[in-house]
Amino acid sequence: MKLPLLIVGAMLLAFFSSPVACTGRGAATSEDNRGQAAAATPVEIALWPEGMALARPETNEPEKVTHSERKIGGRTFLAIQNVSKPTMTFYPATGANSGVTILVFPGGGYQALAIDLEGTEVCDWAVAKGINCAVLKYRVPQAWWHKDCHCQYPPKPQMALEDAQRAMGLLRRRATSLGIDPKKVGVLGFSAGGHLIAAISNAPERIYPAVDEADKLSPRPDFAVGLYPGHLWSGKGVDLFSWDPVRADTPPTLLIQAEDDPVDDVRNSVSYFLALREAKVPTELHLYAEGGHAFGLRETDKPITRWPALLETWLHTIGMLKG
């Protein structure tokens, strides 16, 4: 069963409207891009051992950062393309450390990563709340969902899912040194990252051979949050379409989307919600009339952009946050 094309032109337009190429980390110092979790001391962690053979993304181009002229919440944003060396950057909680950790999956249609808008800016919010945070820079592009791709489904290897599962194992393995609770590690993803939170939540096992001790720990998150998720709706009715069916042990899940989303149909969230409910997985679905797509955490005049308060309340509801 092939997934219908939901985005292509809209996604590329949304993320790469009039891009200007930037180089290195200097691009992230732009005054327009403040999503650097500056209050915390970041630790960049290579996901895989040096020299290990990894599947490469579907490009021979070098990694680069593009700086879009499109503005969200009055500011532009950055996207990373052509990622062949995946990493995660960990930001420790400031103030009282709750022990909770959020692993963030930026969106970008599995073609690029909106690294500040849907990545580091989550950590800016989280660490100030006493929540540890890590941003996953997973391998892209991998165009398995494209209608003209004629690719194997599901793709082999599933590069983003491999990177996500590896990151979960590393966080749990290093829990003591990072100051986190290994039983309170969840995921949060936007758009294609919202598909990735479903993939890692429902995969029956690790999808690659164990590399070291980190891979002996569970790759499944303790909670999951999906913002305007894509690639979950079959295109027929409200049928769910994903790599693996929802399981009874799928973690509690929060879904948030706008009904006027022009990129990923709201039925992506509705379909996943219904599948979670059928499996009796604790879940909440919040739909807003307006908000569009790719708003990240940047507050606008639309009520949906105040969703971080919903997330904080929900984390208390499911027992992750106390007090």
Side-chain angles (χ1 to χ4, degrees):
M1 179 180 182
K2 283 285 185 179
L3 179 68
L5 177 65
L6 298 178
I7 57 174
V8 184
M11 175 63 78
L12 295 180
L13 176 63
F15 279 89
F16 303 111
S17 176
S18 302
V20 179
C22 300
T23 58
R25 295 184 181 179
T29 64
S30 164
E31 292 182 0
D32 274 346
N33 293 281
R34 305 180 181 91
Q36 307 305 312
T41 302
V43 178
E44 187 173 31
I45 301 171
L47 295 185
W48 306 95
E50 183 69 27
M52 180 177 172
L54 290 175
R56 290 187 56 82
E58 296 165 356
T59 179
N60 292 319
E61 297 294 320
E63 182 175 311
K64 65 178 180 179
V65 178
T66 58
H67 189 164
S68 175
E69 292 182 354
R70 182 189 174 208
K71 291 187 176 182
I72 305 294
R75 291 182 282 132
T76 57
F77 60 91
L78 303 174
I80 297 180
Q81 297 174 273
N82 311 326
V83 176
S84 59
K85 294 183 178 181
T87 64
M88 69 172 163
T89 302
F90 177 81
Y91 298 89
T94 58
N97 184 355
S98 66
V100 176
T101 301
I102 296 176
L103 176 61
V104 184
F105 304 151
Y110 287 115
Q111 302 301 291
L113 306 175
I115 201 67
D116 56 349
L117 176 69
E118 298 174 345
T120 56
E121 290 176 14
V122 178
C123 293
D124 287 334
W125 172 84
V127 299
K129 298 290 184 179
I131 301 170
N132 303 281
C133 190
V135 178
L136 181 65
K137 188 175 78 170
Y138 55 90
R139 283 169 285 171
V140 290
Q142 187 170 24
W144 53 266
W145 50 270
H146 195 293
K147 70 175 182 179
D148 299 323
C149 181
H150 305 295
C151 303
Q152 181 177 9
Y153 187 88
K156 292 189 181 300
Q158 299 164 28
M159 294 187 294
L161 181 54
E162 286 183 343
D163 293 341
Q165 290 184 328
R166 176 68 177 168
M168 289 295 297
L170 287 172
L171 286 171
R172 289 187 167 124
R173 177 65 177 171
R174 303 185 184 190
T176 300
S177 63
L178 294 175
I180 68 175
D181 186 335
K183 296 181 180 180
K184 291 186 176 183
V185 183
V187 293
L188 184 153
F190 301 86
S191 196
H195 175 272
L196 189 53
I197 69 111
I200 195 172
S201 294
N202 299 298
E205 58 188 11
R206 196 175 296 278
I207 64 169
Y208 60 88
V211 174
D212 53 28
E213 293 298 313
D215 290 333
K216 295 180 181 180
L217 302 174
S218 173
R220 185 166 295 134
D222 297 302
F223 61 89
V225 183
L227 279 295
Y228 41 91
H231 313 302
L232 292 175
W233 175 48
S234 71
K236 297 179 181 179
V238 288
D239 295 337
L240 181 69
F241 181 78
S242 190
W243 293 339
D244 296 294
V246 174
R247 304 160 53 92
D249 60 350
T250 293
T253 302
L254 173 66
L255 299 167
I256 302 170
Q257 193 167 9
E259 293 180 40
D260 66 349
D261 190 327
V263 177
D264 290 320
D265 193 288
V266 71
R267 279 171 284 195
N268 284 279
S269 289
V270 172
S271 297
Y272 192 38
F273 169 78
L274 292 174
L276 289 163
R277 189 178 69 168
E278 181 69 20
K280 296 181 170 51
V281 174
T283 182
E284 284 189 20
L285 170 62
H286 295 265
L287 298 179
Y288 290 77
E290 296 181 304
H293 190 82
F295 44 79
L297 277 77
R298 297 183 182 179
E299 188 167 343
T300 69
D301 61 347
K302 307 300 182 184
I304 195 172
T305 59
R306 294 188 281 278
W307 64 264
L310 283 177
L311 170 57
E312 186 176 7
T313 298
W314 180 74
L315 289 173
H316 281 279
T317 300
I318 64 172
M320 288 290 127
L321 292 178
K322 306 294 184 181

